[in-house]
Coordinates of all heavy atoms in Angstrom, one line a residue:
L1288 N 0.8 -1.2 0.0 CA 0.0 0.0 0.0 C 0.8 1.3 0.1 O 0.4 2.2 -0.5 CB -1.0 -0.1 1.2 CG -2.0 1.2 1.4 CD1 -2.8 1.3 0.1 CD2 -2.7 1.1 2.7
A1289 N 2.0 1.2 0.7 CA 2.9 2.3 0.7 C 3.4 2.9 -0.7 O 3.9 3.9 -0.7 CB 4.0 2.2 1.7
A1290 N 3.1 2.0 -1.7 CA 3.6 2.3 -3.0 C 2.6 3.1 -3.7 O 2.7 3.3 -5.0 CB 4.1 1.1 -3.7
L1291 N 1.6 3.5 -3.1 CA 0.4 4.3 -3.8 C 0.9 5.5 -4.6 O 1.9 6.2 -4.2 CB -0.6 4.8 -2.8 CG -0.3 5.6 -1.6 CD1 -0.4 7.2 -2.1 CD2 -1.1 5.4 -0.4
A1292 N 0.2 5.7 -5.8 CA 0.6 6.8 -6.6 C -0.5 8.0 -6.6 O -0.1 9.0 -7.2 CB 0.7 6.2 -8.0
T1293 N -1.5 7.8 -6.0 CA -2.5 8.9 -5.9 C -1.8 10.2 -5.3 O -1.1 10.1 -4.3 CB -3.8 8.7 -5.1 OG1 -4.4 7.6 -5.8 CG2 -4.7 9.9 -4.9
R1294 N -1.9 11.3 -6.0 CA -1.1 12.6 -5.6 C -2.0 13.7 -5.0 O -3.0 13.9 -5.5 CB -0.4 13.0 -6.9 CG 0.5 14.2 -6.7 CD 1.8 13.9 -5.8 NE 2.6 12.8 -6.6 CZ 3.5 13.0 -7.5 NH1 3.7 14.3 -7.9 NH2 4.1 12.1 -8.1
A1295 N -1.5 14.3 -3.9 CA -2.1 15.4 -3.4 C -1.2 16.5 -3.5 O -0.1 16.6 -2.9 CB -2.5 15.1 -1.9
T1296 N -1.7 17.6 -4.2 CA -0.8 18.7 -4.4 C -1.4 19.9 -3.7 O -2.7 20.3 -3.7 CB -0.8 19.2 -5.9 OG1 -0.4 18.0 -6.7 CG2 0.0 20.3 -6.2
K1297 N -0.5 20.6 -2.8 CA -1.0 21.7 -2.0 C -1.4 23.0 -2.8 O -0.7 23.4 -3.8 CB 0.2 22.2 -1.1 CG -0.3 23.2 0.1 CD -1.1 22.5 0.9 CE -1.7 23.5 2.1 NZ -2.8 24.4 1.5
V1298 N -2.6 23.5 -2.6 CA -3.1 24.6 -3.3 C -3.7 25.6 -2.3 O -3.6 25.3 -1.1 CB -4.2 24.3 -4.3 CG1 -3.7 23.5 -5.5 CG2 -5.4 23.5 -3.6
D1299 N -4.1 26.6 -2.7 CA -4.6 27.7 -1.6 C -5.8 27.1 -1.0 O -6.9 26.9 -1.6 CB -4.9 28.9 -2.3 CG -5.3 30.1 -1.4 OD1 -4.8 30.1 -0.3 OD2 -6.2 31.0 -1.9
G1300 N -5.7 27.0 0.4 CA -6.7 26.6 1.2 C -7.1 25.1 1.3 O -8.0 24.6 2.0
G1301 N -6.2 24.3 0.5 CA -6.4 22.8 0.7 C -5.5 22.1 -0.2 O -4.3 22.5 -0.4
W1302 N -6.0 21.0 -0.8 CA -5.2 20.1 -1.6 C -6.0 19.7 -2.8 O -7.2 19.6 -2.8 CB -4.9 18.9 -0.7 CG -4.1 19.1 0.5 CD1 -4.5 19.6 1.7 CD2 -2.7 19.0 0.6 NE1 -3.6 19.8 2.6 CE2 -2.3 19.4 1.9 CE3 -1.6 18.6 -0.2 CZ2 -1.1 19.4 2.4 CZ3 -0.3 18.6 0.3 CH2 0.0 19.0 1.6
R1303 N -5.2 19.6 -3.9 CA -5.9 19.0 -5.2 C -5.4 17.6 -5.4 O -4.1 17.2 -5.4 CB -5.4 19.8 -6.4 CG -6.1 19.7 -7.6 CD -7.5 20.3 -7.6 NE -7.5 21.7 -7.4 CZ -8.6 22.4 -7.2 NH1 -9.7 21.9 -7.0 NH2 -8.5 23.7 -7.1
I1304 N -6.3 16.7 -5.4 CA -6.1 15.2 -5.5 C -6.5 14.7 -6.8 O -7.4 14.9 -7.4 CB -6.8 14.5 -4.3 CG1 -6.3 15.1 -2.9 CG2 -6.6 13.0 -4.4 CD1 -6.9 14.4 -1.8
N1305 N -5.4 13.8 -7.4 CA -5.6 13.1 -8.6 C -5.2 11.6 -8.4 O -4.1 11.4 -7.8 CB -4.8 13.8 -9.7 CG -5.4 15.0 -10.1 OD1 -6.4 15.1 -11.0 ND2 -4.9 16.1 -9.7
G1306 N -5.9 10.7 -8.8 CA -5.6 9.4 -8.7 C -6.6 8.3 -9.0 O -7.7 8.8 -9.4
H1307 N -6.4 7.1 -8.7 CA -7.3 6.0 -9.0 C -7.3 5.0 -7.9 O -6.2 4.4 -7.6 CB -6.7 5.4 -10.4 CG -7.6 4.2 -10.8 ND1 -7.1 3.3 -11.8 CD2 -8.7 3.7 -10.5 CE1 -8.1 2.4 -12.0 NE2 -9.0 2.5 -11.2
K1308 N -8.3 4.8 -7.3 CA -8.5 3.8 -6.3 C -9.4 2.6 -6.7 O -10.2 2.7 -7.7 CB -9.2 4.4 -5.0 CG -8.4 5.6 -4.3 CD -7.1 5.1 -3.7 CE -6.3 6.3 -3.2 NZ -5.1 5.8 -2.4
I1309 N -9.2 1.5 -6.1 CA -9.9 0.2 -6.5 C -10.2 -0.6 -5.3 O -9.6 -0.5 -4.2 CB -9.1 -0.6 -7.6 CG1 -9.8 -1.5 -8.3 CG2 -7.9 -1.3 -6.9 CD1 -9.1 -2.1 -9.5
W1310 N -11.2 -1.5 -5.5 CA -11.8 -2.3 -4.5 C -12.3 -1.7 -3.3 O -12.2 -1.9 -2.1 CB -10.7 -3.4 -4.0 CG -10.0 -4.1 -5.1 CD1 -8.7 -4.1 -5.3 CD2 -10.6 -5.0 -6.0 NE1 -8.4 -5.1 -6.4 CE2 -9.7 -5.5 -6.9 CE3 -12.0 -5.3 -6.3 CZ2 -9.9 -6.3 -7.9 CZ3 -12.2 -6.2 -7.4 CH2 -11.2 -6.7 -8.1
T1311 N -12.9 -0.4 -3.7 CA -13.5 0.4 -2.5 C -15.0 0.0 -2.3 O -15.9 0.3 -3.0 CB -13.5 1.8 -2.9 OG1 -12.2 2.1 -3.4 CG2 -13.8 2.8 -1.8
S1312 N -15.0 -0.6 -1.0 CA -16.4 -1.1 -0.6 C -17.2 0.1 -0.3 O -16.9 1.0 0.2 CB -16.2 -2.0 0.5 OG -15.4 -3.1 0.4
S1313 N -18.6 0.0 -0.7 CA -19.6 1.0 -0.4 C -19.4 2.3 -0.9 O -20.1 3.2 -0.5 CB -19.7 0.9 1.1 OG -20.1 -0.3 1.6
A1314 N -18.4 2.6 -1.9 CA -18.2 3.9 -2.4 C -19.5 4.5 -3.1 O -19.6 5.6 -3.0 CB -17.0 3.9 -3.4
Q1315 N -20.3 3.6 -3.6 CA -21.5 4.0 -4.3 C -22.5 4.7 -3.5 O -23.4 5.4 -3.9 CB -22.0 2.9 -5.2 CG -22.8 1.9 -4.3 CD -21.9 0.7 -3.7 OE1 -20.7 0.9 -3.5 NE2 -22.5 -0.4 -3.5
R1316 N -22.4 4.4 -2.2 CA -23.4 5.0 -1.2 C -22.8 5.8 -0.1 O -23.5 6.1 0.8 CB -24.3 4.0 -0.7 CG -23.7 2.8 0.0 CD -24.6 1.7 0.6 NE -24.0 0.6 1.2 CZ -23.8 -0.5 0.5 NH1 -24.0 -0.6 -0.7 NH2 -23.2 -1.5 1.2
A1317 N -21.4 6.0 -0.2 CA -20.8 6.7 1.1 C -21.0 8.1 0.9 O -21.0 8.7 -0.1 CB -19.2 6.3 1.0
D1318 N -21.0 8.8 2.1 CA -21.0 10.3 2.2 C -19.7 10.8 2.3 O -19.3 11.8 1.8 CB -21.8 10.6 3.3 CG -23.3 10.3 3.2 OD1 -24.0 10.8 2.4 OD2 -23.7 9.3 4.0
Y1319 N -18.8 10.0 3.0 CA -17.4 10.5 3.2 C -16.5 9.3 3.0 O -16.9 8.1 3.1 CB -17.1 11.0 4.5 CG -17.8 12.4 4.7 CD1 -19.0 12.6 5.1 CD2 -17.0 13.5 4.3 CE1 -19.6 13.9 5.5 CE2 -17.6 14.8 4.4 CZ -18.9 14.9 5.0 OH -19.5 16.2 5.1
G1320 N -15.2 9.5 2.7 CA -14.3 8.4 2.5 C -12.9 8.9 3.2 O -12.5 10.0 3.3
A1321 N -12.2 7.9 3.7 CA -10.8 8.1 4.2 C -9.9 7.8 3.0 O -9.9 6.7 2.6 CB -10.5 7.2 5.4
L1322 N -9.1 8.7 2.7 CA -8.2 8.6 1.6 C -6.8 8.7 1.8 O -6.4 9.7 2.5 CB -8.8 9.6 0.4 CG -7.8 9.6 -0.9 CD1 -8.8 9.8 -2.0 CD2 -6.8 10.7 -0.9
L1323 N -5.9 7.9 1.3 CA -4.4 8.1 1.4 C -3.9 8.6 0.0 O -4.3 8.2 -1.0 CB -3.8 6.8 1.7 CG -4.2 6.1 3.0 CD1 -3.3 4.8 3.1 CD2 -3.8 7.0 4.1
A1324 N -3.2 9.7 0.1 CA -2.5 10.2 -1.0 C -1.2 10.7 -0.8 O -0.7 11.1 0.4 CB -3.3 11.4 -1.5
R1325 N -0.2 10.7 -1.9 CA 1.2 11.1 -1.7 C 1.2 12.6 -1.7 O 0.9 13.3 -2.7 CB 2.0 10.4 -2.7 CG 3.5 10.6 -2.5 CD 4.3 9.6 -3.3 NE 3.8 8.2 -3.1 CZ 4.2 7.6 -1.9 NH1 5.0 8.1 -1.1 NH2 3.8 6.4 -1.7
T1326 N 1.8 13.1 -0.6 CA 1.8 14.5 -0.4 C 3.4 15.1 -0.6 O 3.5 16.3 -1.0 CB 1.4 15.0 1.0 OG1 2.2 14.2 2.0 CG2 0.0 14.8 1.2
D1327 N 4.2 14.1 -0.6 CA 5.6 14.5 -0.8 C 6.3 13.4 -1.7 O 6.8 12.4 -1.0 CB 6.3 14.7 0.6 CG 7.8 15.3 0.3 OD1 8.3 15.3 -0.9 OD2 8.5 15.5 1.3
P1328 N 6.3 13.5 -3.0 CA 7.0 12.4 -3.8 C 8.5 12.3 -3.6 O 9.0 11.2 -4.0 CB 6.7 13.0 -5.2 CG 6.5 14.4 -5.1 CD 5.9 14.7 -3.7
T1329 N 9.0 13.2 -2.9 CA 10.6 13.0 -2.8 C 10.9 12.4 -1.5 O 12.1 11.9 -1.2 CB 11.3 14.4 -2.6 OG1 10.8 15.2 -1.5 CG2 10.9 15.2 -3.8
A1330 N 9.9 12.2 -0.5 CA 10.1 11.5 0.7 C 10.1 10.0 0.6 O 9.5 9.4 -0.4 CB 9.1 12.0 1.9
R1331 N 10.7 9.3 1.5 CA 10.5 7.8 1.5 C 9.1 7.5 1.6 O 8.2 8.1 2.2 CB 11.2 7.2 2.8 CG 12.8 7.4 2.7 CD 13.4 6.9 4.0 NE 13.2 5.4 4.1 CZ 13.6 4.7 5.2 NH1 14.2 5.3 6.2 NH2 13.4 3.4 5.3
K1332 N 8.8 6.3 0.9 CA 7.4 6.1 0.6 C 6.4 6.0 1.8 O 5.2 6.4 1.6 CB 7.2 4.8 -0.3 CG 7.7 3.5 0.4 CD 7.4 2.4 -0.6 CE 7.6 1.0 0.0 NZ 7.4 -0.1 -0.9
H1333 N 6.9 5.5 2.8 CA 6.0 5.5 4.1 C 5.9 6.9 4.7 O 5.0 7.1 5.5 CB 6.6 4.5 5.1 CG 6.5 3.1 4.6 ND1 7.5 2.5 3.9 CD2 5.5 2.2 4.9 CE1 7.2 1.2 3.8 NE2 6.0 0.9 4.3

């Protein structure tokens, strides 16, 4: 999981997220989701 590629880029007031998740249970009826995204591509993956 630590090899994830979804990217979170810092922007004014928050983050801009781009990526692709799979095997997400209940996404079709969820109001909120807990999401992991890479915020620093230069750091060690964990």
Side-chain angles (χ1 to χ4, degrees):
L1288 183 58
L1291 60 88
T1293 295
R1294 184 70 59 88
T1296 305
K1297 189 70 181 76
V1298 295
D1299 187 29
W1302 299 80
R1303 191 73 63 187
I1304 297 180
N1305 287 276
H1307 177 192
K1308 298 294 182 176
I1309 199 167
W1310 308 121
T1311 308
S1312 303
S1313 304
Q1315 74 275 26
R1316 56 178 177 269
D1318 298 292
Y1319 288 92
L1322 178 140
L1323 297 182
R1325 191 159 301 285
T1326 52
D1327 184 356
T1329 65
R1331 294 177 61 182
K1332 65 180 186 179
H1333 291 87

